[in-house]
């Protein structure tokens, strides 16, 4: 695709980590059968490699005058970033949760770390619960939040940007006549892209959803398809652990182990209300509906996310 930036200094990335990263970049679930020794050691290497990749990518995309301080970044994306960032002040650990990237289960984990039993709280109710218990950044001023993040161990989980867009569509937009997002987005998309004299579209197809994203300013994106670069400010906040949803359970539990908090909570299994289907199969089915030019435009819209997290 266009707009690719050639990666340099890849020799600084350990061979083992490169094998894992390349597997992820091919859109495949990781096959970690070649990890025969202590996985903690290997994963520490992998997390270090991803962190180095992100740091190099930030330097290439933004020079020193363009990169914002944490306080500046929080000011620009205050509501989104502060509401989505969870804290354990006792252990000085935080995570920027992204909608459609296991955010519900990470909220359960952080509630448990803050001595709240969230195992029986329904998934849709968990998002308000973390705010009610005051474990997000939104109760702090920008300067207070920036000071906390500067001293915390910060975690972020990401996934292939196209898979996240598709997940948002299937969960929020795909025909649900009684759903909140159908009323807010579905009906408006049909009206927006139909001509005055001809009703070409009768429901918000995936094509319409993608066209809406492409035609919208990134500052107006809903949280479920908001870009990583805007929501989690990865070139301002230093993330020590970058996890990939492609290998979600193992990497989540490994981070908990490395941080010595695995005794508090095992990473939960996925809630049953989520739609389950193989990612590659879904991506092929839905994206085959789109013209190549539209796919290219969507890629351009999420280019920073693709590049910063290695999904090139």
């Amino acid at each position: 695709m266009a707009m690719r930036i050639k990666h340099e200094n890849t020799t600084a990335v350990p061979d083992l980590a490169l094998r894992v990263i390349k597997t992820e970049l091919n859109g495949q679930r990781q096959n970690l059968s070649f990890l025969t020794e202590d996985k903690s050691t290997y994963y520490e290497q992998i997390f270090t490699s991803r962190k180095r990749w992100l740091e190099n990518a930030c330097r290439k995309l933004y020079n020193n005058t363009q990169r914002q301080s944490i306080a500046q970044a929080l000011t620009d994306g205050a509501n989104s970033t502060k509401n989505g960032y969870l804290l354990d002040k006792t252990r000085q650990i935080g995570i920027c949760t992204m909608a459609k990237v296991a955010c519900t289960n990470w909220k359960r984990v952080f509630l448990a770390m803050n001595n709240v039993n969230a195992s029986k709280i329904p998934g849709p109710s968990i998002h308000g619960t973390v705010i009610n218990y005051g474990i997000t950044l939104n109760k702090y001023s920008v300067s207070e939040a920036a000071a906390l993040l500067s001293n915390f161990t910060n975690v972020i989980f990401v996934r292939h940007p196209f898979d996240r867009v598709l997940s948002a569509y299937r969960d929020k937009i795909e025909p649900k006549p009684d759903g909140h997002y159908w009323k807010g987005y579905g009906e408006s998309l049909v009206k927006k892209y139909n001509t005055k004299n001809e009703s070409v579209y009768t429901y918000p197809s995936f094509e319409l959803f993608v066209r809406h994203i492409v035609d919208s300013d990134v500052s107006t994106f809903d949280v479920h398809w908001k870009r990583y670069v805007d929501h989690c400010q990865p070139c301002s906040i230093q993330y020590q652990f970058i996890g990939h949803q492609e290998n979600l359970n193992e990497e989540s539990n490994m981070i908990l182990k490395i941080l010595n908090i695995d005794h508090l909570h095992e990473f939960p299994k996925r809630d049953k209300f989520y739609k389950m289907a193989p990612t590659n199969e879904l991506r092929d089915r839905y994206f085959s509906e789109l013209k190549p030019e539209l796919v290219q435009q969507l890629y351009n819209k999420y280019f920073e996310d693709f590049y910063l997290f290695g999904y090139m």
Side-chain angles (χ1 to χ4, degrees), residues 48-92:
T48 298
S49 299
R50 290 178 185 164
K51 179 185 175 188
R52 187 180 300 131
W53 186 303
L54 175 60
E55 290 171 348
N56 289 337
C58 286
R59 281 195 293 269
K60 291 178 181 179
L61 280 182
Y62 311 108
N63 59 39
N64 290 333
T65 59
Q66 292 174 314
R67 292 183 70 174
Q68 296 179 311
S69 67
I70 295 177
Q72 289 172 324
L74 289 177
T75 299
D76 287 350
N79 291 334
S80 173
T81 306
K82 290 175 70 178
N83 284 336
Y85 201 96
L86 309 183
L87 303 170
D88 180 344
K89 287 189 68 176
T90 302
R91 300 172 182 83
Q92 293 191 308

Side-chain angles (χ1 to χ4, degrees), residues 60-242:
K60 291 178 181 179
L61 280 182
Y62 311 108
N63 59 39
N64 290 333
T65 59
Q66 292 174 314
R67 292 183 70 174
Q68 296 179 311
S69 67
I70 295 177
Q72 289 172 324
L74 289 177
T75 299
D76 287 350
N79 291 334
S80 173
T81 306
K82 290 175 70 178
N83 284 336
Y85 201 96
L86 309 183
L87 303 170
D88 180 344
K89 287 189 68 176
T90 302
R91 300 172 182 83
Q92 293 191 308
I93 299 170
I95 183 170
C96 184
T97 58
M98 291 292 307
K100 312 313 303 172
V101 192
C103 68
T104 298
N105 280 340
W106 271 111
K107 288 174 181 178
R108 294 190 194 283
V109 170
F110 269 75
L111 283 167
M113 290 164 61
N114 284 271
N115 301 312
V116 178
N117 183 1
S119 60
K120 295 184 179 180
I121 299 176
S125 302
I126 206 77
H127 310 298
T129 304
V130 294
I131 295 176
N132 293 339
Y133 277 95
I135 65 171
T136 67
L137 273 181
N138 68 348
K139 73 175 185 177
Y140 300 97
S141 68
V142 167
S143 60
E144 290 172 334
L148 289 171
L149 295 183
S150 297
N151 295 293
F152 273 35
T153 297
N154 299 304
V155 180
I156 182 175
F157 264 77
V158 296
R159 69 191 295 189
H160 192 292
F162 280 177
D163 291 340
R164 184 164 169 263
V165 167
L166 177 55
S167 178
Y169 172 74
R170 296 185 72 237
D171 184 41
K172 301 299 180 183
I173 308 296
E174 199 167 39
K176 289 183 178 179
D178 58 344
H180 166 72
Y181 273 80
W182 175 280
K183 296 293 184 183
Y185 283 93
E187 292 179 346
S188 64
L189 290 185
V190 172
K191 293 177 181 178
K192 178 180 178 180
Y193 291 103
N194 275 335
T195 64
K196 293 182 179 179
N197 300 321
E198 183 180 5
S199 296
V200 178
Y201 303 104
T202 57
Y203 75 97
S205 65
F206 184 55
E207 178 200 352
L208 285 194
F209 179 58
V210 171
R211 286 178 63 184
H212 168 70
I213 290 177
V214 166
D215 292 342
S216 300
D217 187 279
V218 295
S219 64
T220 67
F221 280 11
D222 180 87
V223 68
H224 293 90
W225 50 92
K226 198 172 190 70
R227 304 184 308 172
Y228 305 134
V229 69
D230 301 317
H231 183 71
C232 289
Q233 311 294 342
C235 290
S236 298
I237 299 170
Q238 287 198 359
Y239 289 97
Q240 287 73 29
F241 293 94
I242 301 168

